[in-house]
Amino acid sequence: MLGNLNAVVSRLLPDNRNGMARTRPISRDDWVNIDCGNDELIFVDEHAVFWDSDDLYTDAGINQKIRINKDQALEILDTLRYFPSSSQQSCYKLPIYQQSLRYLVRSGFLYGDYDGLNRTPAFDLILDGKKLTAVEPASATEAIIDELVYTSGSSGVMNLCLAQRKDGGIPFISSIQAVPTVDDLYSKMQSNETFRVVARINYGRDDESTSPFEDDDYGRTWTSGATPPNCNNISAIPDFESPEKNPPPFVLQEAIESDNASSPIVLTVDFPKTSSQSQSAYFVLYFTEAEDFLREDNRTINILIDGQNVSTITTSVSKCTVVTLYPVDVRKSMVNVSLVAANSSGLPPLISAMEVFTKVIPIGGAGAGPAVQFTLLSFVLMLSGCVLANLL
């Protein structure tokens, strides 16, 4: 416990003396994990993950426990912090590991009828003065996890604030995570751009869960994707040479493959509705070869989005082929990603995983993209990903 407290103190006092950023490797000690509303200084959840209390990061707000859905799987969601004062700035100051570094910023919300009014509020999340997220829970029991890919500024802290709307109710928040990443993660994203996670899916798994010991370096949640009726789950040859985007090994050990070369794989992606006519999307697709792949075989795949060919790849043995597609103009709430065997290919298409993001357009003091609503199971998986590192 004391050792973790020292880690908290070191995060609150980042070593940026003389303008020099720290050069030691990023570790989980550099993460910021906040269990909002918990009165304990340090909270260890059921997965042995260490969480700090709000008091290390904000002076505003009031702690409270949820009234309903108390038997949900995560203790971390049993508490929240709400901000009833419209005149007081409702902000968290999050220490950053390094200036101008890409972060994964996750904010969790579970209303749980904490105030006994059974009236879900609507409010906005502002990051470093930019309004980025509209938080609008659909029910008292619905968990919302909003994950942003965001580049830190030069101030030494990241300011995460909650803003009331007129007649929107009182803002609250259940959890916060700020995870520093390496520079080449999602490398086509510019430092002045912010993106929101729409989907992060791995294909070919027979179950809907992720083992807590199958670790992701950034605590990313990989949801098991449905296998189309014309496809089979197969075992794949994982790439252990640190493939691009650092997907965890379990994502690369399975894949789906269509029945034959004339049968395409069609995957659908649901995008959140926005007031704008189009969205700029960022796709990352991962391809690992089947265990029974023969070197003399050729597997070449055309990638189509809503019928338009956007890329062609040829897979490799024991190497993950990663394809990034950006920008992709999305004008509908549902997009079809089709994988079609090229005419020169003697094998059917396959895929192991896919990530999808949308570019967030901040609007000074008004307008923000809606938070992507993940299931409670997905939130459990995201937090479970931290288990092994905390036990070692």
Side-chain angles (χ1 to χ4, degrees):
M1 184 72 71
L2 182 58
N4 190 262
L5 182 57
N6 289 334
V8 172
V9 173
S10 70
R11 287 205 304 268
L12 293 175
L13 299 172
D15 186 8
N16 286 328
R17 293 185 294 271
N18 301 320
M20 297 298 291
R22 293 176 294 176
T23 57
R24 63 182 174 82
I26 297 173
S27 74
R28 290 185 187 266
D29 283 343
D30 300 306
W31 292 23
V32 175
N33 302 316
I34 306 177
D35 177 16
C36 303
N38 198 322
D39 293 323
E40 300 179 28
L41 179 62
I42 300 291
F43 170 67
V44 185
D45 70 12
E46 63 271 27
H47 301 295
V49 178
F50 287 85
W51 294 79
D52 307 331
S53 73
D54 309 75
D55 294 336
L56 294 169
Y57 306 95
T58 184
D59 295 326
I62 302 171
N63 291 351
Q64 187 59 275
K65 294 182 178 180
I66 61 174
R67 291 171 178 259
I68 61 176
N69 206 26
K70 292 182 179 180
D71 58 348
Q72 50 85 23
L74 286 171
E75 260 188 288
I76 201 74
L77 295 181
D78 285 347
T79 60
L80 56 84
R81 196 166 181 111
Y82 69 99
F83 302 87
S85 175
S86 59
S87 61
Q88 185 181 26
Q89 195 173 35
S90 306
C91 294
Y92 288 79
K93 289 187 178 298
L94 311 178
I96 61 173
Y97 167 75
Q98 183 177 314
Q99 297 175 358
S100 302
L101 186 68
R102 185 165 290 128
Y103 270 78
L104 303 182
V105 181
R106 302 186 186 105
S107 305
F109 306 90
L110 177 59
Y111 168 59
D113 194 26
Y114 76 90
D115 53 8
L117 300 177
N118 196 28
R119 186 169 63 243
T120 56
F123 51 93
D124 298 307
L125 184 148
I126 299 173
L127 200 55
D128 288 339
K130 292 172 281 191
K131 187 178 293 186
L132 300 178
T133 301
V135 182
E136 300 171 347
S139 70
T141 58
E142 182 173 34
I144 295 177
I145 309 302
D146 183 57
E147 181 173 336
L148 299 173
V149 184
Y150 180 80
T151 300
S152 60
S154 58
S155 67
V157 296
M158 192 183 300
N159 288 290
L160 187 153
C161 304
L162 305 172
Q164 289 192 20
R165 298 182 190 171
K166 184 179 180 180
D167 302 323
I170 296 174
F172 73 92
I173 192 165
S174 304
S175 66
I176 301 171
Q177 283 191 303
V179 180
T181 72
V182 294
D183 291 337
D184 60 351
L185 187 72
Y186 311 128
S187 57
K188 288 190 176 182
M189 296 182 183
Q190 299 300 310
S191 61
N192 62 345
E193 297 176 325
T194 300
F195 289 80
R196 171 171 290 107
V197 175
V198 173
R200 185 177 283 126
I201 307 167
N202 72 289
Y203 296 101
R205 294 182 70 85
D206 293 325
D207 55 32
E208 296 183 356
S209 62
T210 301
S211 168
F213 297 100
E214 293 174 325
D215 196 25
D216 185 297
D217 288 342
Y218 305 110
R220 294 172 293 186
T221 299
W222 296 83
T223 303
S224 296
T227 301
N230 67 322
C231 295
N232 300 303
N233 294 348
I234 63 170
S235 296
I237 306 172
D239 181 355
F240 295 108
E241 298 298 323
S242 298
E244 184 182 352
K245 311 298 185 290
N246 289 9
F250 73 84
V251 166
L252 306 181
Q253 290 173 349
E254 292 90 16
I256 56 173
E257 182 184 50
S258 70
D259 291 334
N260 55 71
S262 62
S263 181
I265 298 175
V266 180
L267 307 171
T268 60
V269 179
D270 294 321
F271 284 82
K273 296 180 180 179
T274 66
S275 57
S276 60
Q277 293 183 346
S278 65
Q279 301 181 69
S280 183
Y282 188 109
F283 286 77
V284 185
L285 285 73
Y286 301 85
F287 303 87
T288 47
E289 258 305 341
E291 284 186 341
D292 57 358
F293 181 80
L294 300 177
R295 290 184 181 273
E296 60 267 23
D297 290 333
N298 172 52
R299 194 190 305 269
T300 302
I301 303 169
N302 293 323
I303 304 171
L304 292 77
I305 295 183
D306 281 344
Q308 181 178 355
N309 195 336
V310 292
S311 184
T312 299
I313 62 105
T314 299
T315 60
S316 302
V317 178
S318 302
K319 181 175 178 58
C320 179
T321 302
V322 183
V323 177
T324 298
L325 305 172
Y326 176 73
V328 176
D329 187 41
V330 172
R331 295 180 176 271
K332 301 184 299 183
S333 60
M334 186 178 73
V335 168
N336 287 327
V337 178
S338 301
L339 307 175
V340 181
N343 292 335
S344 60
S345 179
L347 293 172
L350 54 65
I351 186 172
S352 289
M354 176 169 63
E355 294 181 275
V356 185
F357 307 81
T358 55
K359 183 178 177 180
V360 180
I361 307 298
I363 303 176
V372 177
Q373 300 181 12
F374 289 92
T375 64
L376 183 56
L377 171 62
S378 294
F379 195 22
V380 173
L381 302 184
M382 180 267 289
L383 297 181
S384 297
C386 303
V387 175
L388 183 58
N390 283 280
L391 293 177
L392 293 179

